[in-house]
Amino acid sequence: MSKKIAILFGAQSFEHEISIVSSITMKKVLNNELVYIFVDKNREFYHIPTEIIKSNLFSSGEYKKCDKLELTQNSFVKRGFFGTKNLEFDVLLNLTHGGDGEDGVLAGMFTFFNIPFIGPRVEGCVVSCNKFLTKIV
């Protein structure tokens, strides 16, 4: 049984655009059902439907028409007129590059909110983003 994978991409980083390209490529690489979660440069989360994901969606700002998400305990949720709805997925794949994705910020949030994720844990991120600590290790 294949898992439903949430792809997290974007975030605050000089490698923001590379993360977008990486996430779009996952449609061609993974046979799993994919759920896309975009983090814009203001650190706001958006659910991007798989069928509309393409690079100019982000450069044009059109992604802001997609559903905004909030991170809560065990899930991302969409707020609507009739309440909240969980975004369904089995595991999150962190495809953010640089900044928040590699320094442990997002790993810490996922751990705190009990979101199952694929990616380095906080300790590994902190050590590998600090050249002095990396050389010591």
Side-chain angles (χ1 to χ4, degrees), residues 40 76 89 91 99 116 120:
D40 71 6
F76 282 87
F89 60 88
V91 64

Side-chain angles (χ1 to χ4, degrees), residues 93-113:
L93 174 59
N94 182 3
L95 280 187
T96 57
H97 298 288
D100 296 339
E102 295 177 15
D103 65 6
V105 169
L106 289 169
M109 285 176 41
F110 301 145
T111 301
F112 182 83
F113 284 105

Side-chain angles (χ1 to χ4, degrees), residues 13-135:
S13 162
F14 293 112
E15 299 178 45
H16 179 87
E17 287 76 18
I18 296 167
S19 177
I20 292 170
V21 172
S22 296
S23 67
I24 293 169
T25 302
M26 289 295 105
K27 278 175 63 172
K28 300 171 190 169
V29 176
L30 296 176
N31 293 323
N32 301 68
E33 185 177 348
L34 302 178
V35 175
Y36 285 96
I37 302 171
F38 176 62
V39 186
D40 71 6
K41 292 181 179 184
N42 297 317
R43 293 181 169 153
E44 294 182 308
F45 298 101
Y46 292 87
H47 175 225
I48 308 298
T50 306
E51 61 276 3
I52 69 164
I53 191 166
K54 55 187 183 285
S55 59
N56 67 353
L57 182 75
F58 307 99
S59 59
S60 69
E62 288 291 308
Y63 71 88
K64 291 183 181 181
K65 293 179 181 176
C66 296
D67 291 331
K68 210 168 191 185
L69 298 171
E70 295 177 21
L71 183 57
T72 63
Q73 195 62 34
N74 302 312
S75 187
F76 282 87
V77 298
K78 298 178 191 183
R79 292 213 180 270
F81 188 72
F82 296 108
T84 61
K85 182 179 178 191
N86 286 354
L87 189 63
E88 301 292 330
F89 60 88
D90 297 303
V91 64
L92 183 138
L93 174 59
N94 182 3
L95 280 187
T96 57
H97 298 288
D100 296 339
E102 295 177 15
D103 65 6
V105 169
L106 289 169
M109 285 176 41
F110 301 145
T111 301
F112 182 83
F113 284 105
N114 199 31
I115 304 291
F117 71 100
I118 300 168
R121 297 315 190 233
V122 174
E123 299 83 0
C125 291
V126 170
V127 170
S128 66
C129 277
N130 182 309
K131 289 182 184 194
F132 178 74
L133 289 177
T134 302
K135 288 177 183 179

